[in-house]
Amino acid sequence: FLGELGLVLLLFKVGLESDLRKLLSVGRSALLVASLGVFVPFLLGLLVSRTFLPGAHYLGHVFIGATLCATSVGITARVLGDIGALERVESTVILGAAVVDDILGLAILGVVTGAIASVGQPGDFNVLMVLLVIGKATLFLVGGTAVGLLMARRMFWIASQLHGKGLLVATSLLLCFGSAYLARVIGLEPIIGAFAAGLALDTTQYEDLKEREHHTIEELVDPIVSFLTPLFFVIVGTRIELTALINLETLAFAVVLTLAATVGKLICGLGYREEGNKWVVGFGMVPRGEVGLVFAGIGAGLLLQGQPVLPPRAYAAVVVMVAGTTLVGPVLLSRALGPPATPGNLQERE
């Protein structure tokens, strides 16, 4: 239970780290990069899954394709910050595209989990049902974020009129869990609601509480996330069967899936339309990080015709892919942009 709670808060934090204003400032390039960054890895993941798991249900292949769609906003933002490159146009496009990637990835996750849940109900799985789930996921992410933008300011204003401590984090968690609950009520994953809540929050909405408590929401939520999220990652680790990793076929599956995940994101750099380096954009989109593990954890828990959507071999391969892209992406990005920022070389650049 605590692991699942950590998962919800983790996606809330991912939403908080996503800047909608930056996304809008480079909307065209970010949308094109993100679209390629979802479509190409999804197709490659689908092909790799069909090659290595020929007997699996087609929804299992679709789910593995979906795990390749996301990009870790947090990891990429930290790397860019360490290098001192957050103000570059490429960085703005990368972070904007990563937000769209997560939105599209979570929408795909909602559609796939809804389709999988309907398989056990004879006669319910049809095109109309898929369109309904797509509509719900899209409306919730877009409409929920828009409503959240309007509601959050009002809720924080009410909280600022109260006397007491901890009102900022309490109000933020109320929005997070309320949105997660609403997502669950309409048949979506709670993490989609948590992400939408984080996406809707901005420091301008709670200036009074921020001045009173001398902290931002990210700073207050971070210790809770740091405590609970590792429990979710422990659960992810316990689901890996070590015997599956020893198997050469599984290792080959993991290596090819990692290559497909990397190449798929590098190709999305072709959608970059501003001045700068297309390869930098591709490198920045490679890390899957915590978002990829979220997909893996959900896939291991979902049942399709009585079997896990991600059987042991597939689950191990997906976790290796997430680890591989999370390690490779930042290395490629930092080498492409230069050494980490220090007072010395910052002065030199000036």
Side-chain angles (χ1 to χ4, degrees), residues 19 67 113 151 191 200 216 233:
D19 194 331
T67 62
T113 53
M151 287 185 58
I191 59 171
T216 63
F233 291 140

Side-chain angles (χ1 to χ4, degrees), residues 221-246:
V221 169
D222 192 56
I224 310 171
V225 175
S226 298
F227 172 63
L228 293 176
T229 303
L231 299 177
F232 169 72
F233 291 140
V234 169
I235 294 168
V236 170
T238 58
R239 287 174 174 162
I240 297 177
E241 292 186 13
L242 293 179
T243 51
L245 284 174
I246 297 170

Side-chain angles (χ1 to χ4, degrees), residues 318-336:
V318 168
V319 172
V320 170
M321 177 275 294
V322 172
T325 55
T326 303
L327 291 170
V328 169
V331 172
L332 294 174
L333 184 60
S334 59
R335 290 198 174 187

Side-chain angles (χ1 to χ4, degrees), residues 28-226:
R28 187 180 169 189
S29 271
L31 188 60
L32 191 53
V33 169
S35 300
L36 286 171
V38 168
F39 182 69
V40 178
F42 179 79
L43 282 183
L44 291 176
L46 201 65
L47 290 172
V48 173
S49 178
R50 285 176 64 89
T51 302
F52 284 91
L53 301 170
H57 194 282
Y58 76 93
L59 283 175
H61 300 314
V62 170
F63 193 92
I64 290 174
T67 62
L68 271 64
C69 293
T71 297
S72 175
V73 179
I75 289 172
T76 303
R78 285 186 186 94
V79 173
L80 292 170
D82 289 344
I83 298 169
L86 276 172
E87 300 306 315
R88 291 180 58 141
V89 180
E90 297 102 315
S91 302
T92 307
V93 171
I94 290 169
L95 296 178
V99 175
V100 179
D101 257 15
D102 286 342
I103 292 172
L104 294 176
L106 288 170
I108 291 170
L109 178 66
V111 172
V112 177
T113 53
I116 289 168
S118 72
V119 170
Q121 303 170 13
D124 286 350
F125 183 64
N126 51 50
V127 175
L128 183 62
M129 183 280 301
V130 173
L131 292 175
L132 180 62
V133 178
I134 291 172
K136 285 195 295 186
T138 306
L139 280 174
F140 191 87
L141 281 167
V142 177
T145 302
V147 171
L149 286 168
L150 297 173
M151 287 185 58
R153 191 179 296 276
R154 187 66 180 170
M155 288 182 68
F156 283 121
W157 180 84
I158 294 170
S160 68
Q161 305 307 304
L162 304 174
H163 299 287
K165 295 181 179 179
L167 290 167
L168 180 55
V169 70
T171 308
S172 305
L173 292 179
L174 175 63
L175 282 164
C176 169
F177 293 132
S179 184
Y181 174 72
L182 288 175
R184 188 63 182 166
V185 165
I186 66 170
L188 299 173
E189 287 290 325
I191 59 171
I192 296 176
F195 177 77
L199 206 58
L201 294 184
D202 187 82
T203 52
T204 58
Q205 298 163 333
Y206 58 88
E207 285 293 343
D208 292 341
L209 283 173
K210 181 184 171 185
E211 288 178 13
R212 187 201 300 180
E213 301 190 12
H214 309 293
H215 289 291
T216 63
I217 295 173
E218 291 94 325
E219 291 168 345
L220 293 170
V221 169
D222 192 56
I224 310 171
V225 175
S226 298

